[in-house]
């Protein structure tokens, strides 16, 4: 009997000590890092690091959601896999972050995990690409580009330019090196092109994903050159793909430029972040770049601060963007009654 009592007493002592240690550790962590408590803790699930646009976007987010600005940021790179992003969001929920910021790789498959965040009472802010869900209460707001408008602007520039140099619509033989299939950027930019193909009667030879990377852009372009001998316009859904495609075109002995009437192959692109792409635009190797602005950090910071102040931000917050080109003759374009001035590349 005595032995059992002793064991019970020892166990009780051990339990008491462990609880008091734990609470003293907890208190220390609160007192040690009392500023931690004042910081807004944000879990940021970035989709990957596939392009210059993405790296610039990540830098913008990290510098805005910094400790100096009052944030404790937990950053997770999803390596372009939705499963990694879902795991990260669940980790953020476990860590009881104050906000979740999600840059979704693709549009579908988010309802379950966003419902878990909603049930945990954690506001979700979407950045860059969109989430396709009927339940708009699963996120507080979104900030990013109008990708379909980007595609419409580029298609309008192609139409205006080819009309100006006298290329008949049926003589336009275009290939689309698409972005990551199912991403909002790819969906919008491809839609902008396909609607123009239908409206103007262009010959859309093929659409193949280059996954927004230079390597894949190069591979896809080389394959397309094997398949078709009449390509005269290459529509690349981001700069990194365009750089790879130009490598492949020049390796095949093609001349890249806007002079379609004299056998050049015209390349157009999206983003306007990659230095080399902007250099190419300056010399006309890339005839036109539709800007896609990656600097969402301050915009997300402003949305969080609005929510913190008890405001309800707009659900959808679009950034305004231009077209870059050094090709002469087209100074502005019009899409749905709105005029967009072309920004020369100097
Ligand atoms: C667009 C973004 C796209 C960029 C690509 O907002 O989602 O993903 O255009 C990037 O460069 O990889």
């Amino acid at each position: 009997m005595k032995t059992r009592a002793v064991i019970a007493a020892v166990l009780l002592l051990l339990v008491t000590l462990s609880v008091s240690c734990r609470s003293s550790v907890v208190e220390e962590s609160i007192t040690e890092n009392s500023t931690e408590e004042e910081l807004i803790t944000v879990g940021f699930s970035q989709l990957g690091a596939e392009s210059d646009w993405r790296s610039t976007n990540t830098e913008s987010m990290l510098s805005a959601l910094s400790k100096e600005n009052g944030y404790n940021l937990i950053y997770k790179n999803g390596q372009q896999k939705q499963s990694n992003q879902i795991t990260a969001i669940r980790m953020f929920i476990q860590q009881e972050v104050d906000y979740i910021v999600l840059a979704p790789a693709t549009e579908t498959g988010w309802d379950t995990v966003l419902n878990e965040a909603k049930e945990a009472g954690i506001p979700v802010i979407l950045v860059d690409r969109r989430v396709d869900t009927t339940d708009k209460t699963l996120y507080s707001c979104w900030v990013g580009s109008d990708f379909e408008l980007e595609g419409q602007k580029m298609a309008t520039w192609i139409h205006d330019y080819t009309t100006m140099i006298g290329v008949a619509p049926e003589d336009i033989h275009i290939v689309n090196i698409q972005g990551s299939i199912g991403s909002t950027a790819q969906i919008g930019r491809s839609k902008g092109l396909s609607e123009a193909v239908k409206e103007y009667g262009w010959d859309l030879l093929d659409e193949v994903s280059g996954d927004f990377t230079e390597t894949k852009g190069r591979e896809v372009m080389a394959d397309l050159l094997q398949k078709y001998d009449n390509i005269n316009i290459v529509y690349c859904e981001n700069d990194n793909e365009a750089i790879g495609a130009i490598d492949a075109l020049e390796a095949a002995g093609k001349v890249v430029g806007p002079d379609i009437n004299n056998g050049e192959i015209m390349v157009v692109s999206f983003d306007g972040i990659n230095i080399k792409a902007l250099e190419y635009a300056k010399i006309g190797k890339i005839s036109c770049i539709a800007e896609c602005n990656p600097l969402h950090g301050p915009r997300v910071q402003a949305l969080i601060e609005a929510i913190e102040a008890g405001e309800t931000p707009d659900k959808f917050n679009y950034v305004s963007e231009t077209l870059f080109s050094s090709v002469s003759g087209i100074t502005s374009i019009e899409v749905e009654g709105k005029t967009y001035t072309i920004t020369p590349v100097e």
Side-chain angles (χ1 to χ4, degrees):
M1 184 58 179
K2 196 170 175 232
T3 315
R4 287 176 71 182
V6 169
I7 290 169
V10 167
L11 279 175
L12 182 62
L13 179 64
L14 283 175
V15 167
T16 308
L17 278 175
S18 73
V19 167
S20 62
C21 286
R22 210 170 38 240
S23 58
S24 66
V25 165
V26 169
E27 278 156 12
E28 268 162 29
S29 74
I30 288 175
T31 48
E32 218 169 74
N33 307 300
S34 54
T35 51
E36 290 291 325
E37 287 308 296
E38 289 147 22
L39 298 175
I40 297 172
T41 299
V42 176
F44 172 38
S45 171
Q46 176 60 289
L47 66 93
E50 74 285 355
S51 64
D52 296 80
W53 189 99
R54 188 65 50 200
S55 311
T56 307
N57 178 250
T58 298
E59 281 162 32
S60 173
M61 297 291 290
L62 269 54
S63 60
L65 303 178
S66 64
K67 208 157 204 168
E68 300 70 49
N69 291 342
Y71 295 89
N72 171 32
L73 181 68
I74 308 165
Y75 162 67
K76 286 291 174 194
N77 174 345
Q79 269 95 30
Q80 283 192 285
K81 286 193 177 66
Q82 180 177 44
S83 55
N84 292 341
Q85 293 196 275
I86 289 172
T87 302
I89 292 170
R90 288 189 168 128
M91 191 192 73
F92 298 151
I93 293 169
Q94 286 304 315
Q95 290 172 294
E96 297 180 345
V97 299
D98 299 309
Y99 291 85
I100 289 172
V101 176
L102 169 64
T106 51
E107 291 199 338
T108 55
W110 299 98
D111 283 51
T112 301
V113 75
L114 292 184
N115 255 306
E116 291 166 23
K118 182 180 174 184
E119 278 155 22
I122 302 174
V124 173
I125 293 174
L126 300 180
V127 60
D128 181 23
R129 303 174 186 176
R130 305 271 284 258
V131 160
D132 179 10
T133 176
T134 51
D135 183 358
K136 296 285 186 286
T137 67
L138 291 179
Y139 55 93
S140 300
C141 52
W142 165 88
V143 59
S145 303
D146 184 337
F147 301 108
E148 189 174 334
L149 175 60
E150 289 177 355
Q152 290 171 322
K153 290 194 285 191
M154 182 59 79
T156 303
W157 185 90
I158 293 170
H159 170 261
D160 292 0
Y161 175 73
T162 51
T163 304
M164 181 184 79
I165 64 171
V167 178
E170 61 273 16
D171 293 335
I172 291 176
H173 306 292
I174 191 166
V175 291
N176 180 5
I177 302 182
Q178 297 176 294
S180 306
I181 300 300
S183 67
T184 316
Q186 175 273 313
I187 293 167
R189 291 168 187 167
S190 294
K191 187 176 178 203
L193 174 64
S194 58
E195 285 179 349
V197 165
K198 277 200 285 287
E199 181 181 352
Y200 301 126
W202 299 341
D203 171 22
L204 177 58
L205 293 167
D206 215 331
E207 295 190 290
V208 184
S209 177
D211 219 9
F212 287 134
T213 67
E214 184 176 326
T215 305
K216 200 78 188 300
R218 187 178 295 109
E219 283 167 21
V220 164
M221 190 69 247
D223 292 347
L224 289 167
L225 286 169
Q226 292 296 317
K227 274 175 80 176
Y228 306 99
D229 61 3
N230 60 341
I231 298 169
N232 53 19
I233 296 181
V234 182
Y235 183 97
C236 299
E237 292 190 352
N238 88 328
D239 291 342
N240 297 77
E241 292 176 349
I243 290 164
I246 289 169
D247 283 353
L249 286 162
E250 292 182 333
K254 306 295 183 185
V255 177
V256 178
D259 192 0
I260 297 173
N261 288 319
N262 291 299
E264 291 186 354
I265 296 183
M266 186 163 88
V267 172
V268 297
S269 177
F270 293 80
D271 284 349
I273 300 301
N274 180 291
I275 302 296
K276 193 173 184 182
L278 288 168
E279 281 301 316
Y280 278 177
K282 203 185 297 183
I283 60 175
K285 258 192 194 178
I286 295 180
S287 296
C288 186
I289 298 178
E291 180 192 13
C292 182
N293 188 305
L295 305 178
H296 295 326
R299 298 170 181 132
V300 170
Q301 183 184 354
L303 291 168
I304 290 174
E305 287 168 7
I307 295 169
E308 284 290 294
E311 297 162 22
T312 305
D314 291 343
K315 197 77 175 175
F316 301 105
N317 303 273
Y318 291 94
V319 296
S320 56
E321 298 168 333
T322 184
L323 285 180
F324 300 115
S325 177
S326 60
V327 172
S328 58
I330 308 289
T331 54
S332 66
I333 54 145
E334 190 177 308
V335 175
E336 291 175 354
K338 193 166 177 214
T339 300
Y340 298 88
T341 306
I342 307 300
T343 304
V345 185
E346 265 99 33

